[in-house]
Amino acid sequence: MSSPLIYENDPTYQMAVKQLKEAAAILGLPDDVVEVLRHPEKLVQVKIPVRLDNGKIAVFLGWRSQHNSALGPYKGGIRYHPSVTPGEVVALSMWMTWKNSLAGIPYGGGKGGVRVDPKKLSPRELEELSRKYFAAIAKDVGPDVDIPAPDVYTNPQTMAWYFDEYSKIVGYNAWGVVTAKPVDLGGLHAREVSTGFGVALTAREAAKKWIGGIEGKTVAVQGFGNVGRYAAYYLAQWGAKIVAVSDSKGGIYNPDGLNIEEVMKVKDETRTVINYKDAKRISNEELLELDVDILIPAAIENVITEKNAPRIKAKVISEGANGPTTPEADRILHDKGVVVVPDILANAGGVTMSWIEWSHNRMGCFLTDEEALNRLDKIMTNNFHRVFDEWQKKYSNYPMRVAAYVIAIDRVVRAMKLRGWI
Ligand code: GLU
């Protein structure tokens, strides 16, 4: 046996491959095609030496994985996290391929990551890290090649630095090289809320199909970053009762409902939701098992596992995070009659809005917030029902994720066949 590749032993990568194989078996894809799909087209590793404020140099490692470009340029975010590994980045890039395919947008899948704890860097150090990382991958990205965006712990400011660095290298304002830019640099204000808005949309549509609508239903949201907070916000706007939310410091619970706008204020002022007064403190684990109608895991991977899945009481789960549910847990939940709207469908609002931003940048025009969100609502509501109906018609013995994967992979495979790659 030859020794494994740098991504092959990673548990997140192994989970992604398992999901791919399950869908491939249903589609009847031969092993050689699965082998093609299992690997990224390109995986770049870069070294980022940063001069710290204390005068010393710290070395960080970063990656960009370009999984598949059959449907268009690679597209996907870049995350900063101390636990980033090349395997995780490859897995996330594969999920982007499926997500973009399922969303019906003209993109392949890519993802980047830097192994760093951004909370430990000063603003100047963070800027240097961001500029150097992007300069190091500049030859591999571009408006028609690979278009990054934010992910965990990166934001519009990070995109502004990337955009500026890249524009200096190529000698013109390359608006289309990254998305989710600040509004003053060709971004859409609606991009900020779009992933959470999309998660809320799919939860709303799933609730209509499964539990008689959203009005008055109780909701728990794990994670109160860019995704969780806006999912909570829109669900509350549409009449749901948000009873629990959490962040990395812990959770808060009030069976009578939380005032989400107030929670947002507390989070912005004190950097955590736990300082919100009118609620009981709970742990992130307890939040997942609360007696609620709808659960939104919007924090990190692998939080719903075979261990806690039997105790989960929600009837509808909409995945804000990428990969929060393991395949074993997915099966347990399905057998209990829980509908799990899979990440590649539920959290596609961000990348779909990215596509709206990118295409408008290239045409030199802009959209209002309202137009942009209405468009996203139409696209995602449509996509949800397309996948849901296909699932119920053909694959109802499997979790909804399997149907989403089958549809997504099939589109990529058809494009690869047409191009003569397989
Ligand atoms: N990072 C987000 C995701 O996982 C957005 C990607 C994008 O807009 O390109 O879908």
Side-chain angles (χ1 to χ4, degrees), residues 286-335:
E286 285 165 336
L287 178 138
L288 296 172
E289 297 174 22
L290 285 176
D291 190 5
V292 290
D293 300 307
I294 299 169
L295 176 64
I296 312 278
I300 46 165
E301 292 107 76
N302 293 334
V303 290
I304 302 177
T305 65
E306 59 198 311
K307 288 207 191 81
N308 59 3
R311 294 192 298 272
I312 283 180
K313 297 175 194 69
K315 282 275 166 284
V316 168
I317 299 180
S318 180
E319 294 184 334
N322 289 312
T325 312
T326 65
E328 295 76 20
D330 216 12
R331 175 47 75 188
I332 295 169
L333 292 168
H334 177 256
D335 291 345

Side-chain angles (χ1 to χ4, degrees), residues 64 75-79 92 96 99-100 107 110-111 147-152 179-180 191 195 322 347-355:
R64 181 75 184 169
K75 181 93 191 81
I78 291 170
R79 63 172 55 181
L92 288 160
M96 285 311 301
K99 190 188 297 187
N100 295 339
Y107 291 139
K111 197 79 162 205
I147 308 134
D151 200 79
V152 177
T179 56
R191 175 65 180 79
T195 310
N322 289 312
N347 71 27
V351 72
T352 306
M353 190 61 89
S354 277
W355 166 65

Side-chain angles (χ1 to χ4, degrees), residues 225-294:
N226 176 266
V227 182
R229 66 157 64 199
Y230 292 115
Y233 175 82
Y234 284 103
L235 285 169
Q237 294 271 307
W238 299 332
K241 186 155 70 163
I242 317 297
V243 295
V245 300
S246 68
D247 58 29
S248 60
K249 304 245 164 52
I252 50 172
Y253 172 57
N254 183 341
D256 296 326
L258 305 166
N259 178 337
I260 288 303
E261 282 172 63
E262 201 51 46
V263 181
M264 284 181 175
K265 220 152 105 207
V266 171
K267 170 83 180 172
D268 290 339
E269 278 163 12
T270 71
R271 303 180 87 173
T272 171
V273 297
I274 62 176
N275 295 322
Y276 178 84
K277 292 279 178 304
D278 193 18
K280 181 177 142 210
R281 285 282 309 274
I282 54 168
S283 69
N284 265 293
E285 294 71 34
E286 285 165 336
L287 178 138
L288 296 172
E289 297 174 22
L290 285 176
D291 190 5
V292 290
D293 300 307
I294 299 169

Side-chain angles (χ1 to χ4, degrees), residues 184-199:
D184 291 328
L185 293 177
L188 288 171
H189 179 254
R191 175 65 180 79
E192 166 94 6
V193 303
S194 56
T195 310
F197 179 72
V199 172

